[in-house]
Amino acid sequence: MIVLVPLARDEWAALRSGATLTDVGAHAPTPALGATFDLDDPEELERAALLVASVAALLRTGERLVASVDAPYVADPAGRLGEARVPALRLADVSAYFVDDPQTAPVVVAAAAAAAGLDVDTAWDVPEVQGLLAHDLLWHGASEPLA
């Protein structure tokens, strides 16, 4: 069960140090997410969940850091953006993580400022956030250090 987890750097560091994070917010490729974006292809749903999770991370931390996790999760049945909770998250559950290219920093800063104080659904439509979403996140293996 793939789920995308927006993380703060200190949470990533805790995972890397062997900690287990509990009751972690996430975004999953759920049917509700598919209905929101009119998607039914599993790969497109996972990409949509990744992008939504990246916006959640941006709003929470000012940067996009998202872990791809293969762990049990509980989806919010009313969550149109694939909202979910991961009861227990360990580094062993992380298959990869995604971050922005450092060269994208000015776009990230502008998007974070423009969307400050908004929820994910509202921030999604902010032009600066849409501009940021046009920049692909960089994939890293779970064992690779975070730059």
Side-chain angles (χ1 to χ4, degrees):
M1 306 174 113
I2 297 295
V3 64
L4 288 301
V5 178
L7 292 172
R9 284 181 177 262
D10 63 338
E11 292 168 327
W12 180 247
L15 284 172
R16 295 286 304 246
S17 296
T20 297
L21 304 181
T22 58
D23 193 33
V24 181
H27 293 272
T30 63
L33 180 69
T36 298
F37 289 101
D38 194 26
L39 301 170
D40 57 13
D41 178 83
E43 288 184 23
E44 290 177 359
L45 274 171
E46 283 184 18
R47 177 154 171 76
L50 171 62
L51 293 176
V52 171
S54 79
V55 173
L58 178 75
L59 296 175
R60 202 171 122 225
T61 69
E63 67 178 328
R64 297 192 300 167
L65 170 57
V66 179
S68 177
V69 173
D70 187 5
Y73 63 86
V74 178
D76 176 352
R80 60 187 237 38
L81 295 177
E83 292 91 337
R85 306 295 301 173
V86 177
L89 175 60
R90 300 165 301 138
L91 184 60
D93 302 320
V94 177
S95 57
Y97 72 91
F98 300 85
V99 293
D100 278 297
D101 184 321
Q103 295 179 2
T104 310
V107 181
V108 173
V109 169
L118 300 177
D119 61 24
V120 174
D121 196 25
T122 306
W124 185 267
D125 293 323
V126 171
E128 291 85 352
V129 172
Q130 283 297 304
L132 177 59
L133 292 175
H135 294 270
D136 288 333
L137 290 161
L138 301 177
W139 178 95
H140 296 275
S143 63
E144 293 181 49
L146 179 60

